[in-house]
Amino acid sequence: MNLSNKLEDNLQDFENFHSEPFILFEKDNLLDSEDYKILTDEIYSYDNFEKIFKGKGEKKYKSINGSNLNTLKNGVFKDFCNFFLSPSFFNWFKKTHLPFFKYKKKIFYIKNPKKFLFKIINKIVKIFNLPVNFLFTEIEYSSIKRGGFIPPHTDAFNKRLSFVYYLPNNNEKLNLKKKEALGTVFWKPKPSSLNPLRRFNCALLEKKEKEKFYEDYEPFHIATYEKNKFVGFIKSDNTWHTVEPFDFDYDRRAIVINIWEL
C-alpha cells in the first residue's frame, strides 16, 4: 500500500484547512473504497484492547509500532501500518510538520524503539547530551461507546504528529447529527475569556481545570465522523480538542497515527 500520492505536499492544500487559531486540516477518501471497506471490517473484528482511559472517558485502545507489527495478520490493516511506519511517510512528515518545531538537532527515525541496541545508543546520547533527536511512529486503534468521551487536551509534550482516521461501521448509516456527535471538536478561546488556558504539555483535563476550560472555550470546528477521512493538526499550546459524550448506541472506531520524540 502506497499512500504517498494521497498526501498533499503542502498542508494548506488539504480539505478544510485552517491556519487560526492553529493549523488544522482534513483529508477525504484516503483509501480506495474496497480497501477502506476491508480495513473497517478488520478493525471492528478486533476486541483485544490493552489500555483504557479509566475514569477519563473510557476510551479503549491498542498500540502498534515496529516492535509488534509482525503480530498482525496479513491484511489491509497491516499494509496500512506498514505505510505509516515507513521512511517515506516519515520523510513527508519531516517536510510538512517538523519545520514548525524548529529543531536544531539532527533527526533520526527509529522504527523499533524497543530494540536493545537502540536503548543503549539512546542512553549514550542522553548521558553526553549529543545534538541528536530520535522520533518513532505509533499507530493505535480505539473504541469509544455510548457515554464515552475524550476530555479536553492539547496532547503530550513529546508528540509531534496527530492524525485521527475515522472508521464508521460499514453496516450502520449515520445522519449528520450523529456524525457531528461522533466527531472531533476543536476549540478556541471565547471573546469574553480573560485568561484562557494554554499548555503545550497537556494530557486529559480533569475536575476544576476541565470546568474552567468549558467556561473559557468554544468550538471553532467539528471534524465530522465521516468514512475514510482523517483530521490532523500541528500541535501547539492551544490545540485543544475533545470527543464529547454521545447518548446513542454506537461503537466509535478510529485509528490514530502519532509520531513521538523519545
Side-chain angles (χ1 to χ4, degrees), residues 9-12 23 89-105 107 135 160-161 200 234-235 259:
D9 291 333
N10 299 299
L11 297 183
Q12 59 265 35
I23 292 175
F89 176 70
F90 186 78
N91 288 336
W92 177 86
F93 159 80
K94 281 176 63 177
K95 180 173 63 176
T96 57
H97 284 63
L98 274 191
F100 291 96
F101 296 99
K102 300 179 181 178
Y103 274 89
K104 296 181 181 179
K105 297 180 180 182
I107 300 294
L135 284 84
R160 297 294 173 264
L161 177 137
F200 188 77
I234 300 293
K235 175 181 164 53
I259 291 182

Side-chain angles (χ1 to χ4, degrees), residues 43-207:
I43 294 298
Y44 275 87
S45 73
Y46 294 156
D47 199 27
N48 57 339
F49 302 105
E50 58 190 11
K51 298 179 182 178
I52 185 169
F53 290 161
K54 193 67 177 175
K56 298 181 181 180
E58 316 307 314
K59 168 186 166 183
K60 298 182 290 186
Y61 66 100
K62 181 176 175 64
S63 297
I64 303 294
N65 54 53
S67 68
N68 64 353
L69 175 66
N70 290 332
T71 65
L72 294 177
K73 295 179 180 179
N74 291 335
V76 174
F77 181 51
K78 187 171 185 178
D79 293 343
F80 182 93
C81 291
N82 268 314
F83 171 75
F84 283 102
L85 290 167
S86 70
S88 62
F89 176 70
F90 186 78
N91 288 336
W92 177 86
F93 159 80
K94 281 176 63 177
K95 180 173 63 176
T96 57
H97 284 63
L98 274 191
F100 291 96
F101 296 99
K102 300 179 181 178
Y103 274 89
K104 296 181 181 179
K105 297 180 180 182
K106 185 74 173 176
I107 300 294
F108 290 94
Y109 176 61
I110 303 299
K111 187 170 183 179
N112 184 353
K114 294 186 178 181
K115 279 190 173 181
F116 180 69
L117 179 59
F118 169 71
K119 289 182 177 180
I120 294 175
I121 293 171
N122 194 35
K123 190 169 185 179
I124 292 171
V125 166
K126 292 186 182 303
I127 289 173
F128 292 98
N129 196 26
L130 300 178
V132 173
N133 284 108
F134 297 109
L135 284 84
F136 76 99
T137 303
E138 184 177 52
I139 299 160
E140 69 177 41
Y141 54 89
S142 64
S143 167
I144 303 175
K145 295 186 177 180
R146 182 174 188 160
F149 59 93
I150 303 177
H153 62 295
T154 63
D155 281 341
F157 177 80
N158 58 333
K159 187 183 287 193
R160 297 294 173 264
L161 177 137
S162 295
F163 278 3
V164 181
Y165 182 54
Y166 295 144
L167 298 168
N169 193 320
N170 287 319
N171 300 316
E172 298 183 50
K173 290 189 176 181
L174 297 169
N175 58 32
L176 178 58
K177 184 177 180 180
K178 288 185 175 181
K179 289 177 181 179
E180 290 179 344
L182 294 166
T184 306
V185 184
F186 294 91
W187 300 78
K188 67 177 181 179
K190 294 178 181 176
S192 60
S193 178
L194 299 177
N195 188 25
L197 183 64
R198 298 178 72 98
R199 188 176 296 168
F200 188 77
N201 182 20
C202 182
L204 307 176
L205 293 184
E206 297 183 85
K207 300 178 181 178

Side-chain angles (χ1 to χ4, degrees), residues 5-18:
N5 61 350
K6 296 289 189 77
L7 300 176
E8 310 295 346
D9 291 333
N10 299 299
L11 297 183
Q12 59 265 35
D13 293 331
F14 280 93
E15 293 93 337
N16 289 325
F17 175 82
H18 295 263

